[in-house]
Each structure stands twice: as structure tokens, then as C-alpha cells.
């Protein structure tokens, strides 16, 4: 085909089909020339057409090619200086993925031509490779953006009503017996009625998907027969990963993703994406040249000022995107807006978010990254969740993100793990975490819902393994178990790994219920990891990032039916009672007209806790009164929100203890609403205790008593 080209336009960046042809626009500030390469198929070893982009507006190279259609494959070759010491690594022998590609056809076929330097050369990455990488690089795809969304709209649930479920697209459905084999492990598998019904039955309001931006698997992993299963190695910030597509690679993956979102929205379930804008899959100075490095290395990455050959690494991956630069900020914001406006997602969880907030070196919560998001009328209105740390100095920033953001609360995770494994820890911290971590968020005018509470996440032990292993067992990763965290705050209940000892099994099951109950009774937003509700195990692997197999996939046929039923009832219990999901902080003072505090803390003997009791690091047991009249909130129509009152007893001591029900001041009678020892949530024939009555609470268990005076409205 003989192509003619027109000047085209510098915006929007990427490839844009208008019905008559395609506009191509590429930002490359330091480049001296750009060539657009067209390919006939994903398997084509070389381009069928290659022509120079003559037009440059400011820092953007652009051209328009009439008659091109969706499905067209393309890539770029960019010319400029090859001066690694100055931060420039231009090499036109390397075909490059468009940073704004909306789809990418296939995955990398590793070969030394994908690197800008010669393998084995004495000068290492300062040498220059003239091997053509086109046969081995996946191609960018022109897409048709049209899609019938119908009346689709975001469920837009407030945080205090949210139950977040962290899941992997493939791992969640790969072994699901009710899903057709041809769509297991795909976007279509997530959209399948069996998947959606399961989420609804469990009570989930938002599914948080591990990275779906197109990512790469490192060569060294592939050589070991492993893969980058989690996906934290992005190379395409606009493209849904092709591995999860059951329908095709030439743009069909975009449509399939949209169909998934639409189906989840119809069920009232939000879609949150785990996004990785802190680095790319190109690694350090010895990594491959796949996209950003070859397009304009100095305009995308944080480079060491003294020697720009090297990269600042705040991510542990070899590089860090430079969110201080306008080009990178624009890329991130354009990507976020695209996923909101075109793909209809409802929020984002930002991996290693502290890296995005670094100015020259330190983390700055007033950085331009936050400023731009705060003023953006689209991005600022969706759920924004930070993983508030990175691997650099001063990177642990839990509690320091600005208003409008929520955070994965690592302090909550650590505190609750220590509490239930019996570590000496101040009850004051437990109280802070249970009530929403006001010590972290109150002074910034944020609310309890700023805390995303979790016991486990994809990174680390599953809930079952948390109570079954003291040590990590990562042998399958091929790194002699040197990878993964060595300090898991886990307790194996006396036996490492699987056991036939019924006493140990019973204790482990009770500990799982304790963790789940603590999570869903705490103020803040609970996040549950897919499979924890059914006792999923990774056989002690606490870093299964490279395990795309049965180690990571949910085993539906071996699901723990008892724990699953407990989890369903527990989540429903939380959703039915606004006292456990407050929008405002506890005041700790008497409620006007009633003489009772909204919250009060008690020793097992029924005595209210004094200052000195909070400082006893050996104390493992306490009771907390939650006043149903003290929710301090109004419903959507301005109605006052009232609830039953509750007395929650935590006994992390190894033996049973005698507790007392609160005095008549707090209620005349109390009904057992939840008992982790007996595996009960709202039992049909509950035990009733009178005010002040004494009773035994079993060791390592939670007992929740209800004073059912007020009907709980759906606020």
C-alpha cells in the first residue's frame, strides 16, 4: 500500500482514529528525528512501511495517515544522541512502544536486540547495539474507541459503605468450575455471572484489581520458567494487558475490559485499579530499550545528577519515573483521566505512592503531583488510595498524604497481627487502630475512612498462612528463599505448616475468624484479599509475585465452606450496623441529653479503663462500648442515624477470662451477636446476659454483645 501523510496535530498524544485515518503524536523533547513504522501482523519481523514524521510542534512529533483503520499495528524509531553519561540513550535500531498506546498486541519475545547496548561488551551499557529489535517487540495498536455503554454509571459508593476486595484477574477465575474454560483468567471471566454473584453474596462493593496496565515479564524470570504474575512492571499505561483477553489482541482486549466494567457496575460493584506510575519495566541502565528509554530517557526518568548514566531507584526496580517533569505528570494525568472517562473505572490504588511525591529527594505532600490531582475535576472525584511508602530514605509516609486521599494503613496491619499473636504491645495503639487511627488522620481534617484497613495483601502471607507459618517458604521462587519479608508478624499456632493436630487446626480457624472479625468491626474501610474468606494457602510463600500457577490461583473446590459462611455473615453484619462504619470520629464524651459517651473502654471486671491501664504492654484483653446513639451522622435525606449499641470484647489472652456485662447505665440486657470461639454471627438462639452479669470469654476470641434498643436504618 502506498501511503501519503498529512501534517496532523500534536494532540491528543498517541494514535487517534477519526473514521478517515489516524493521527499519530509522540512527545520526544530531546529527539532529532522520529520515524513511524507500520506492521501487517503481530508476527511480522519487519515493518511494511516506514516514514519520517516531518512535523514537530514544540516537543511533539506528529503526522496523519489517511485510510488507516483500527487494528493497525505500529511502533516508533527515535533518533538522537547516544550519550548515556548525559542521560540520552537514543537508538533507532530499537522499535519502541507508544507510551500512549491504547492496546499492545502480544508480549515480549526476549532477545539481546531489545537492549540498546552490546551484550558482553567491555563498555557494557556505554556500548551501542545495531541489532534490530522489531521482530521481538510487541506492537502498538490503533483502536476503535466506540462502545455502547448504555446507561452505565459508577455506583459511586461512599467510603464508609465500601467493602474492598483485592483480586488478581487471572488468579481469581482460573480454577473456577462454573466459568467456561475459554474465558477463565480473563476480563470476561471476571464479568461472568458466577463471579459477580459470588461477589454479591459475599457483600463486596468494590473489586480492586492487581495491575492490568500492560506489563512485561523480566528476562531472568522467563529463563527460570517463572513470570511477573502480579504485574508490577508496567510498559503501557493506557493499554489493558493482553494476557487477560479472551477475545483478541488487536483492540478486542479494550472492548472486553469495558464489558467487564459494565457488568460489574450493573451489579453495583465498583472497579478500582492498582496502578504503577512510579517506575516502568525498563529497569536500570542495563535494562532493555522498549519505550520511554529510547523515546527520551532524560524526559521520563529520575537520573543521578552527578552521572546521568544511572537512575535514582526509589522503587527497588532499577528506575523511578520523574513525576516532577511536565511530560511525566501529563502522562500520568492523561492515563488516569483515560481510565475514568473511557474505561469507566471508579478509582485507583497507587503502588509505592511516596515515589510520586518526591521532589528532589524527599517526599513532599505538597508536591506538584498532588496539586494537579487536587485541582483536576475528573481525577479528584474518584477513589484515590495510596500505598504510602517506597523503598527510599524517608519513604514510609503512613498518615502523611493530603486530604482527599485514603491510605493502606500498614500500622493497622502490624498492630492487629501483633495483638492476636500475643506480642506485648500497648493497648492504646490497638484502640487507635480499631477506632480509625485518629492519631494519623485527624489533624489533617480527614475522617476514619482515610484508613484502608487490612490484615493481609497480595504481598505477604495469605490469612491462612499467617496463622500456619512462622517462616517464609519461597523455595519455588528460585532465590533460595532470600526474597520476601523476613518479619511477617505471623504465628503458626505451634506447628509449622500443615498438621493433623485437631487442637492446632481449631486454634488456627479461630485465629482466622478473630482477624476477620477485627477487620470488619474496625472503623475505616476494610480490604479483604481474594481467597482469605475461604482459607486460600500459598504453602507459606510470602512473595508469590512470580507464581502464575496453583500456588497463586484460588482453589475453589477446596474452599473452606465454614469460614466462607462466617465471612458472608460478618460482612453483612457490618453493613447492617452504621456504628461499625462511622463517617466521623468518636468524641469520647457524653451525648447531649443521654449522659452516655459515644465510646467507652472497660477492663474485664467491668471497670472503666484509667490512664495507667493503657500503658500496660502485657494486657491482652478489654471491652469497648459503642453507643448506637453516638454515630454523629445523618443519612442522605438528613435523617439522624441511630443504631443498636454494642459491647465488643477482645480476649487475646491464651486462656478464658471472666468478663462482666456493662452496668444498667449502658443497657439492661445484652444479646450475643458474634462469637468467634463458637463460630457464630447473629445466632438464631443467642445467649442473653443481664447488666453487670459475669461470664467466661474463651481464650483468643472475640465476643460481641448487642443491646437491641434501636432499629438500624440503612443510611
Amino acid at each position: 500500500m502506498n501511503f501519503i501523510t498529512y501534517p496532523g496535530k500534536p494532540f491528543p498524544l498517541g494514535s487517534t482514529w477519526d473514521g478517515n485515518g489516524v493521527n499519530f503524536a509522540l512527545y520526544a523533547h530531546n529527539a532529532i528525528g522520529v520515524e513511524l513504522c507500520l506492521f501487517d501482523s503481530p508476527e511480522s519481523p519487519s515493518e511494511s512501511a516506514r516514514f519520517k514524521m516531518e512535523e514537530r510542534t514544540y516537543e511533539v512529533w506528529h503526522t496523519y495517515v489517511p485510510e488507516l483503520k483500527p487494528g493497525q499495528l505500529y511502533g516508533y524509531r527515535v533518533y538522537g544522541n547516544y550519550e548515556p553519561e548525559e542521560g540520552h540513550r537514543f537508538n533507532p535500531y530499537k522499535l519502541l512502544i507508544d507510551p500512549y498506546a491504547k492496546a499492545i498486541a502480544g508480549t515480549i519475545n526476549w532477545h539481546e536486540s531489545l537492549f540498546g547496548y552490546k551484550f558482553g561488551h567491555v563498555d557494557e551499557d556505554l556500548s551501542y547495539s545495531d541489532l534490530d529489535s522489531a521482530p521481538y517487540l510487541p506492537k502498538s495498536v490503533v483502536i476503535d474507541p466506540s462502545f455502547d455503554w448504555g446507561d452505565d454509571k459508577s455506583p459511586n459508593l461512599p467510603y464508609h459503605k465500601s467493602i474492598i476486595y483485592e483480586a488478581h484477574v487471572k488468579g481469581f477465575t482460573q480454577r473456577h468450575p462454573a466459568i467456561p474454560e475459554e474465558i477463565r483468567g480473563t476480563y470476561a471471566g471476571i464479568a461472568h455471572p458466577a463471579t459477580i454473584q459470588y461477589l454479591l453474596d459475599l457483600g463486596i462493593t468494590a473489586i480492586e484489581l492487581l495491575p492490568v496496565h500492560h506489563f512485561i515479564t523480566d528476562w531472568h524470570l522467563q529463563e527460570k520458567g517463572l513470570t511477573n504474575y502480579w504485574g508490577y512492571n508496567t510498559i503501557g499505561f493506557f493499554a489493558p494487558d493482553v494476557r487477560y483477553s479472551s477475545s483478541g489482541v488487536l483492540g478486542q482486549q479494550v472492548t472486553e475490559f469495558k464489558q467487564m466494567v459494565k457488568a460489574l457496575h450493573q451489579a453495583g460493584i465498583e472497579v478500582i485499579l492498582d496502578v504503577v506510575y512510579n517506575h516502568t519495566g525498563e529497569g536500570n541502565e542495563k535494562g532493555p530499550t522498549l519505550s520511554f528509554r529510547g523515546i527520551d530517557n532524560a524526559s521520563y526518568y529520575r537520573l543521578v545528577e552527578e552521572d546521568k548514566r544511572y537512575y535514582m531507584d526509589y522503587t527497588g526496580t532499577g528506575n523511578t519515573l520523574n513525576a516532577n517533569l511536565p511530560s511525566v505528570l501529563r502522562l500520568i494525568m492523561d492515563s488516569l483521566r483515560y481510565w475514568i472517562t473511557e474505561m469507566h473505572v471508579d478509582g485507583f490504588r497507587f503502588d509505592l505512592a511516596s515515589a510520586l511525591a518526591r521532589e528532589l529527594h524527599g517526599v513532599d505532600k505538597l508536591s506538584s503531583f498532588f496539586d494537579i490531582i487536587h485541582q483536576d475535576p475528573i481525577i479528584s472525584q474518584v477513589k484515590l488510595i495510596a500505598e504510602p511508602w517506597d523503598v527510599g530514605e524517608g519513604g514510609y509516609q503512613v498518615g502523611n498524604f493530603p486530604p482527599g486521599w485514603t491510605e493502606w494503613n500498614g500500622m493497622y496491619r502490624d498492630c492487629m497481627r501483633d495483638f492476636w499473636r500475643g506480642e506485648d504491645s500497648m493497648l492504646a495503639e490497638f484502640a487507635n487502630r480499631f477506632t480509625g487511627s485518629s492519631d494519623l488522620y485527624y489533624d489533617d481534617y480527614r475522617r476514619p475512612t482515610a484508613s484502608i484497613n487490612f490484615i493481609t495483601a497480595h504481598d505477604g502471607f495469605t490469612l491462612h498462612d499467617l496463622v500456619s507459618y512462622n517462616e517464609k517458604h519461597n523455595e519455588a521462587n528460585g532465590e533460595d528463599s532470600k526474597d520476601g519479608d523476613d518479619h511477617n508478624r505471623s504465628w503458626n499456632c505451634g506447628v509449622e505448616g500443615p498438621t493433623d493436630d485437631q487442637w492446632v487446626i481449631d486454634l488456627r480457624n479461630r485465629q482466622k475468624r478473630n482477624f476477620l472479625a477485627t477487620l470488619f468491626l474496625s472503623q475505616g474501610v476494610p480490604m479483604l484479599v481474594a481467597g482469605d474468606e475461604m482459607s486460600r494457602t500459598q504453602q507459606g510463600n510470602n512473595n508469590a509475585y512470580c507464581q502464575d500457577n496453583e500456588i497463586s490461583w484460588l482453589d475453589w473446590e477446596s474452599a473452606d465452606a465454614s469460614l466462607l459462611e462466617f465471612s458472608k455473615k460478618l460482612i453483612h453484619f457490618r453493613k447492617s450496623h452504621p456504628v461499625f462504619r462511622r463517617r466521623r470520629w468518636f468524641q469520647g464524651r457524653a451525648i447531649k441529653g443521654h449522659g452516655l459517651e459515644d465510646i467507652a473502654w472497660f477492663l474485664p471486671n467491668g471497670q472503666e479503663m484509667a490512664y495507667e491501664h493503657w500503658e500496660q504492654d502485657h494486657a491482652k484483653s478489654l471491652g469497648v462500648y459503642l453507643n448506637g446513639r453516638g454515630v454523629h451522622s445523618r443519612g442522605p435525606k438528613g435523617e439522624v442515624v441511630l443504631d443498636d449499641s454494642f459491647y465488643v470484647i477482645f480476649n487475646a489472652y491464651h486462656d478464658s477470662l471472666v468478663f462482666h456485662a456493662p452496668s444498667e447505665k449502658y443497657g439492661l440486657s445484652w444479646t450475643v451477636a458474634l462469637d468467634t470461639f463458637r463460630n457464630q454471627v447473629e445466632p438464631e438462639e443467642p445467649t442473653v446476659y443481664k447488666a453487670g452479669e459475669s461470664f467466661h470469654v474463651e481464650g483468643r476470641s472475640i465476643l460481641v454483645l448487642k443491646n437491641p434498643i434501636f432499629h438500624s436504618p440503612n443510611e
Side-chain angles (χ1 to χ4, degrees):
M1 180 176 181
N2 294 321
F3 293 98
I4 60 172
T5 63
Y6 302 153
K9 299 177 180 179
F11 296 101
L13 292 169
S15 60
T16 306
W17 179 63
D18 63 5
N20 297 309
V22 180
N23 190 81
F24 296 90
L26 178 73
Y27 170 88
H29 171 64
N30 292 299
I32 61 174
V34 178
E35 289 178 337
L36 173 67
C37 303
L38 304 181
F39 294 82
D40 292 335
S41 75
E43 296 78 26
S44 297
S46 60
E47 52 266 54
S48 57
R50 174 174 172 175
F51 41 87
K52 187 175 181 180
M53 298 176 75
E54 301 284 357
E55 295 292 329
R56 179 177 184 176
T57 302
Y58 304 117
E59 301 155 325
V60 178
W61 303 76
H62 52 93
T63 192
Y64 181 90
V65 185
E67 299 185 27
L68 288 187
K69 297 179 180 180
Q72 176 64 57
L73 300 166
Y74 71 99
Y76 293 108
R77 298 183 188 273
V78 181
Y79 293 79
N81 297 328
Y82 190 79
E83 299 173 340
E85 303 97 323
E86 298 301 321
H88 303 306
R89 294 178 178 268
F90 295 103
N91 186 334
Y93 290 100
K94 311 306 166 187
L95 187 73
L96 303 171
I97 295 170
D98 182 356
Y100 278 72
K102 306 304 189 299
I104 297 173
T107 57
I108 287 174
N109 181 14
W110 282 108
H111 186 266
E112 64 178 282
S113 64
L114 293 163
F115 295 76
Y117 59 93
K118 292 181 179 179
F119 274 24
H121 195 281
V122 64
D123 292 330
E124 297 182 315
D125 62 296
L126 298 180
S127 63
Y128 185 81
S129 167
D130 59 3
L131 297 177
D132 186 4
S133 67
Y136 307 98
L137 188 82
K139 313 306 183 287
S140 304
V141 185
V142 176
I143 70 161
D144 179 354
S146 62
F147 180 77
D148 182 9
W149 283 104
D151 59 354
D152 179 76
K153 61 180 180 180
S154 171
N156 197 26
L157 289 170
Y159 275 116
H160 73 285
K161 291 187 176 182
S162 295
I163 309 290
I164 298 175
Y165 192 71
E166 190 194 36
H168 188 282
V169 172
K170 183 174 184 179
F172 187 49
T173 64
Q174 184 65 22
R175 303 180 70 184
H176 199 303
I179 296 176
E181 287 190 28
E182 62 270 18
I183 65 169
R184 291 179 187 174
T186 69
Y187 305 120
I190 296 291
H192 190 273
T195 305
I196 292 177
Q197 191 59 53
Y198 177 82
L199 296 173
L200 291 174
D201 291 344
L202 186 56
I204 301 304
T205 69
I207 185 168
E208 181 179 304
L209 297 175
L210 267 68
V212 299
H213 288 175
H214 195 96
F215 61 89
I216 68 170
T217 289
D218 295 300
W219 197 354
H220 77 275
L221 285 177
Q222 186 171 300
E223 287 183 321
K224 293 193 294 185
L226 302 172
T227 186
N228 192 327
Y229 173 69
W230 287 347
Y232 290 92
N233 219 12
T234 305
I235 200 66
F237 293 105
F238 294 78
D241 196 274
V242 71
R243 298 167 183 82
Y244 308 138
S245 172
S246 65
S247 51
V249 304
L250 299 180
Q252 295 93 337
Q253 61 266 55
V254 179
T255 300
E256 187 173 327
F257 183 93
K258 291 177 178 178
Q259 290 168 339
M260 176 193 72
V261 174
K262 184 177 180 180
L264 289 165
H265 281 181
Q266 288 175 342
I269 299 171
E270 294 181 316
V271 179
I272 298 171
L273 300 186
D274 194 335
V275 290
V276 191
Y277 293 111
N278 54 76
H279 73 280
T280 79
E282 292 186 300
N284 63 16
E285 69 277 3
K286 294 183 180 179
T289 297
L290 309 173
S291 180
F292 307 91
R293 173 173 284 137
I295 291 170
D296 197 344
N297 187 61
S299 292
Y300 283 106
Y301 292 114
R302 285 181 177 267
L303 305 178
V304 176
E305 285 296 322
E306 298 78 18
D307 188 348
K308 295 181 180 178
R309 172 186 178 184
Y310 301 106
Y311 297 78
M312 301 294 293
D313 184 9
Y314 296 114
T315 64
T317 65
N319 68 62
T320 306
L321 280 173
N322 193 345
N324 292 321
L325 298 176
S327 55
V328 177
L329 280 172
R330 178 172 59 191
L331 172 78
I332 295 173
M333 301 307 154
D334 286 351
S335 171
L336 292 170
R337 279 190 291 268
Y338 174 79
W339 287 96
I340 297 167
T341 60
E342 295 297 320
M343 308 296 264
H344 285 209
V345 304
D346 307 286
F348 306 94
R349 178 265 188 188
F350 292 80
D351 177 66
L352 299 182
S354 294
L356 298 171
R358 287 187 180 271
E359 290 295 331
L360 289 178
H361 294 288
V363 179
D364 182 1
K365 67 179 180 179
L366 300 178
S367 73
S368 51
F369 171 74
F370 292 124
D371 291 342
I372 292 177
I373 283 185
H374 183 72
Q375 61 81 38
D376 189 283
I378 295 173
I379 303 172
S380 63
Q381 298 307 302
V382 302
K383 288 182 168 65
L384 302 172
I385 304 171
E387 181 185 37
W389 51 78
D390 63 22
V391 301
E393 183 179 355
Y396 194 77
Q397 293 290 319
V398 174
N400 290 331
F401 277 67
W405 285 77
T406 61
E407 302 175 17
W408 271 25
N409 191 343
M411 291 187 179
Y412 177 94
R413 171 200 60 203
D414 296 346
C415 175
M416 296 312 177
R417 288 187 178 193
D418 280 347
F419 181 77
W420 284 113
R421 70 183 178 129
E423 285 294 297
D424 287 345
S425 56
M426 298 293 183
L427 286 178
E429 184 183 5
F430 176 87
N432 264 327
R433 304 296 158 247
F434 177 71
T435 56
S437 295
S438 60
D439 58 325
L440 300 177
Y441 306 115
Y442 183 83
D443 288 343
D444 284 336
Y445 303 101
R446 289 193 279 174
R447 294 185 174 180
T449 49
S451 178
I452 304 295
N453 298 330
F454 64 105
I455 303 296
T456 64
H458 66 274
D459 186 2
F461 281 144
T462 66
L463 180 62
H464 176 83
D465 292 355
L466 185 68
V467 301
S468 304
Y469 295 91
N470 284 352
E471 308 295 335
K472 62 187 180 183
H473 297 269
N474 298 357
E475 292 79 10
N477 296 358
E479 300 178 42
D480 298 322
S481 271
K482 294 178 180 178
D483 62 305
D485 198 342
D486 292 320
H487 187 45
N488 295 282
R489 291 183 163 88
S490 61
W491 178 47
N492 63 17
C493 298
V495 178
E496 187 74 356
T499 180
D500 295 327
D501 188 322
Q502 192 59 48
W503 185 89
V504 173
I505 292 172
D506 290 343
L507 176 56
R508 288 176 177 177
N509 289 336
R510 187 159 77 252
Q511 287 287 75
K512 284 183 274 187
R513 294 192 293 269
N514 288 336
F515 278 122
L516 290 171
T518 304
L519 176 65
F520 287 102
L521 296 177
S522 296
Q523 303 301 324
V525 182
M527 185 187 79
L528 178 68
V529 177
D532 274 357
E533 74 280 7
M534 59 174 73
S535 295
R536 181 174 76 90
T537 179
Q538 293 178 169
Q539 293 86 52
N541 192 321
N542 76 345
N543 189 33
Y545 76 101
C546 56
Q547 300 296 333
D548 186 5
N549 50 48
E550 287 82 358
I551 291 176
S552 298
W553 304 338
L554 269 68
D555 184 357
W556 292 89
E557 294 186 347
S558 299
D560 182 340
S562 176
L563 186 64
L564 178 57
E565 185 63 22
F566 178 85
S567 300
K568 290 178 180 178
K569 291 180 178 180
L570 177 63
I571 293 173
H572 175 77
F573 182 71
R574 175 187 174 87
K575 294 172 76 172
S576 299
H577 292 288
V579 75
F580 296 112
R581 45 187 179 85
R582 298 165 57 98
R583 293 193 296 117
R584 300 183 184 278
W585 297 106
F586 287 105
Q587 301 298 310
R589 64 186 184 211
I591 301 168
K592 185 177 180 180
H594 298 280
L596 289 178
E597 298 168 328
D598 55 3
I599 187 171
W601 303 85
F602 295 85
L603 298 173
N605 63 9
Q607 175 187 349
E608 282 204 51
M609 292 180 67
Y611 177 81
E612 60 270 16
H613 297 133
W614 291 111
E615 301 303 311
Q616 296 176 2
D617 60 3
H618 63 276
K620 302 290 187 295
S621 309
L622 74 165
V624 54
Y625 167 77
L626 304 175
N627 194 329
R629 287 183 177 269
V631 179
H632 300 304
S633 292
R634 293 185 178 273
K637 297 182 179 179
E639 67 275 19
V640 175
V641 175
L642 300 175
D643 194 4
D644 302 320
S645 294
F646 291 89
Y647 190 65
V648 184
I649 296 171
F650 295 96
N651 184 16
Y653 187 59
H654 68 271
D655 205 352
S656 65
L657 292 175
V658 175
F659 275 77
H660 290 75
S663 66
E664 292 184 1
K665 169 184 174 182
Y666 297 94
L668 297 178
S669 65
W670 294 89
T671 301
V672 172
L674 185 151
D675 185 344
T676 62
F677 183 84
R678 294 173 178 80
N679 193 13
Q680 295 178 339
V681 180
E682 296 194 294
E684 293 183 2
E685 298 181 1
T687 303
V688 178
Y689 297 111
K690 295 180 181 179
E693 183 178 347
S694 64
F695 47 87
H696 284 271
V697 176
E698 300 296 337
R700 295 194 176 96
S701 72
I702 298 173
L703 188 69
V704 178
L705 307 180
K706 179 172 66 173
N707 183 223
I709 298 176
F710 308 108
H711 176 66
S712 303
N714 286 321
E715 95 290 16

